[in-house]
Amino acid sequence: EEKMQAFLFADSQIVNEQMVEALNNVLNSGDVPNLYKTEDVDEIARTCKAACVSAGLQVNKPNIFAVYLARVKRCVHVVLCFSPVGDAFRTRLRMFPSLVTCCSIDWFSEWPPDALYSVAHQQMTVEDLGIGDKLDFYLQMFSTVHKSVEAAAESFYQELQRKCYATPT
């Protein structure tokens, strides 16, 4: 069926990392290995055989499945909603590279200065750095630096028409 579908998935729905691995596979190849039962494979073969013939391909399992995957890639759109705050997002990006290489990333809003301050505060402590009473100065500095990077990214976009994103994690 040539029906457009959207799969919306938020990071709050992740029960275990195997779910993210399956998403990584879908983004990368359009398929989840070992997902299909025998009756599912038979249904795929039945529905995609005509498309295989019309494309001038030999009717065999690999070609039928290739036609099926092409249809999946054309008709299924994956929409991921992940929060960039904390270590989980960064770790998932490293473990599952298709989250970056096979996605268009949209940051929907600028980070307000108090949120930037909060992220910096989560990552830094006076004991870890030995900076004494200057912690607040450094936390404010991180917010200022991030805002200047956002301004430079906007300038970069205006000049070269290429988007550049910065996350404070």
Side-chain angles (χ1 to χ4, degrees), residues 63-156:
N63 286 345
I64 289 172
F65 202 70
V67 166
Y68 167 72
L69 284 181
R71 183 179 291 174
V72 168
K73 289 177 182 180
R74 186 173 56 255
C75 296
V76 177
H77 299 277
V78 179
V79 180
L80 302 174
C81 303
F82 286 7
S83 170
V85 176
D87 291 333
F89 181 66
R90 186 176 356 167
T91 301
R92 288 181 182 129
L93 292 181
R94 276 193 226 114
M95 289 176 60
F96 308 108
S98 293
L99 294 175
V100 174
T101 60
C102 299
C103 290
S104 296
I105 300 174
D106 291 324
W107 304 100
F108 288 105
S109 61
E110 291 183 16
W111 285 63
D114 57 332
L116 294 167
Y117 182 93
S118 175
V119 169
H121 193 266
Q122 278 182 313
Q123 300 297 320
M124 299 176 66
T125 64
V126 176
E127 297 82 30
D128 288 344
L129 301 173
I131 56 176
D133 60 350
K134 295 184 180 184
L135 178 64
D136 190 61
F137 168 78
Y138 290 115
L139 296 176
Q140 292 295 341
M141 180 198 63
F142 284 124
S143 178
T144 303
V145 167
H146 186 82
K147 285 297 184 187
S148 70
V149 169
E150 285 179 348
E154 180 59 29
S155 174
F156 183 73

